[in-house]
Amino acid sequence: MRSDRLEPVWRSALTVAGLFASIFTVLFVSLIPGMSADAFYLVAGAGVTACAIGLTWCVQRVVEGRSWTELGLAVSRRAVGRALLGTAAGAAAVCAANALCVALGAADWDPDASLASVPAWLTVTVPAALLVQAVPEELWFRGYLFRHLSESLPPWVTVAVTSALFGALHIISQSGAGSLQEKLLYVVQATAFGFVLVACRMATGELWLAVGFHAGYDMLNERLIAPGEGLYSVNLICLVAVLTAAAVLTLRRRQRRAPLDWRARPAAPTTQAVPVAPVAEERPLAGSAV
């Protein structure tokens, strides 16, 4: 039996490995000849999401012996509404942070050319943000990793681990960061992003709000303003401030609805492994308020 002390380590490693395995689907799509850039993004995105769903299903059902719906992406009547609400909230967060950066004199409004064509933005940018990053990353981090850690660790530890790991992975992401200071700030910004996403997960008990926020954020981030020379770090600080505030407000609202002891370990689960058929009902997520 695995040690509880090592659980955050091996589950974090499995999450990272699963995410990268999902992303490697892009390499196979790149081998298809004669594909336009727009078609490539859409096909690659569909492949990454399909691979992420398949891998998390295999890990959850075959390895863990539990229901895949526990990860929080099951289709429900509230799914579309929460996804749209999250998309609007994510886009609003970017706009608020960018407006603050402009007000501080650290950037000028300079919308990306991709935003000029609404049809192209809706048919390429939006689906790509949803399929390439939002769905696969939410499935692995706020789905698999958060779900399982929340069953054995205090809520504050679960939030810290999932947010910090998500942020740390962005050290290899492409961004406008040039200096070491900017790259470290970019990781902090990504950690704050992970914080608000896990807050969305805890507030609803499922992934749709987080998926929408993730997609809305990626659709507009670094597409609306042009930071001044050497002032990219100011943009990152503004994003950290807005994202952290959004996470705190979301968790405070959740706390008012269902108070949570952030330092308490959850009670040991009594439910046995889920058989292959029939599928067992989803167990309530520790720390969620649906």
Side-chain angles (χ1 to χ4, degrees), residues 13-277:
L14 180 58
T15 297
V16 173
L19 177 62
F20 276 102
S22 303
I23 294 173
F24 283 155
T25 307
V26 175
L27 298 179
F28 296 100
V29 176
S30 65
L31 298 177
I32 301 176
M35 186 176 294
S36 67
D38 290 347
F40 172 78
Y41 283 124
L42 294 176
V43 175
V48 172
T49 289
C51 188
I53 291 174
L55 288 176
T56 52
W57 186 92
C58 289
V59 171
Q60 189 72 359
R61 293 287 289 174
V62 179
V63 179
E64 304 285 352
R66 295 168 57 169
S67 172
W68 184 81
T69 59
E70 291 182 359
L71 302 187
L73 203 64
V75 178
S76 67
R77 290 176 297 177
R78 295 173 295 188
V80 174
R82 285 179 171 174
L84 291 175
L85 175 61
T87 302
V94 174
C95 292
N98 288 173
L100 177 59
C101 190
V102 171
L104 293 174
D108 295 316
W109 292 110
D110 185 23
D112 189 82
S114 63
L115 301 178
S117 174
V118 175
W121 187 74
L122 290 175
T123 57
V124 178
T125 304
V126 174
L130 185 67
L131 298 174
V132 176
Q133 295 175 309
V135 173
E137 291 180 6
E138 293 312 307
L139 264 177
W140 281 111
F141 280 92
R142 268 63 63 176
Y144 174 80
L145 183 61
F146 180 81
R147 173 74 203 198
H148 288 283
L149 292 187
S150 68
E151 295 177 346
S152 60
L153 298 175
W156 77 268
V157 177
T158 302
V159 171
V161 170
T162 53
S163 301
L165 179 63
F166 182 75
L169 281 182
H170 283 74
I171 192 68
I172 60 175
S173 296
Q174 293 182 346
S175 69
S179 66
L180 177 60
Q181 176 188 1
E182 289 178 341
K183 290 181 179 179
L184 292 177
L185 272 175
Y186 187 79
V187 170
V188 174
Q189 175 262 159
T191 301
F193 187 31
F195 183 27
V196 73
L197 292 172
V198 80
C200 292
R201 166 67 150 140
M202 295 183 72
T204 61
E206 57 185 23
L207 291 179
W208 292 108
L209 185 65
V211 166
F213 194 103
H214 197 146
Y217 185 87
D218 285 346
M219 287 175 201
L220 293 182
N221 190 31
E222 299 195 355
R223 294 176 184 268
L224 295 177
I225 61 174
E229 184 69 26
L231 296 176
Y232 182 70
S233 58
V234 178
N235 177 46
L236 295 175
I237 292 172
C238 292
L239 287 168
V240 169
V242 170
L243 292 171
T244 302
V248 171
L249 290 174
T250 301
L251 291 176
R252 286 189 63 182
R253 183 173 183 275
R254 181 244 172 267
Q255 193 75 359
R256 286 196 299 268
R257 293 174 58 190
L260 174 67
D261 186 346
W262 286 83
R263 295 177 295 178
R265 284 180 175 269
T270 57
T271 306
Q272 299 297 319
V274 177
V276 173

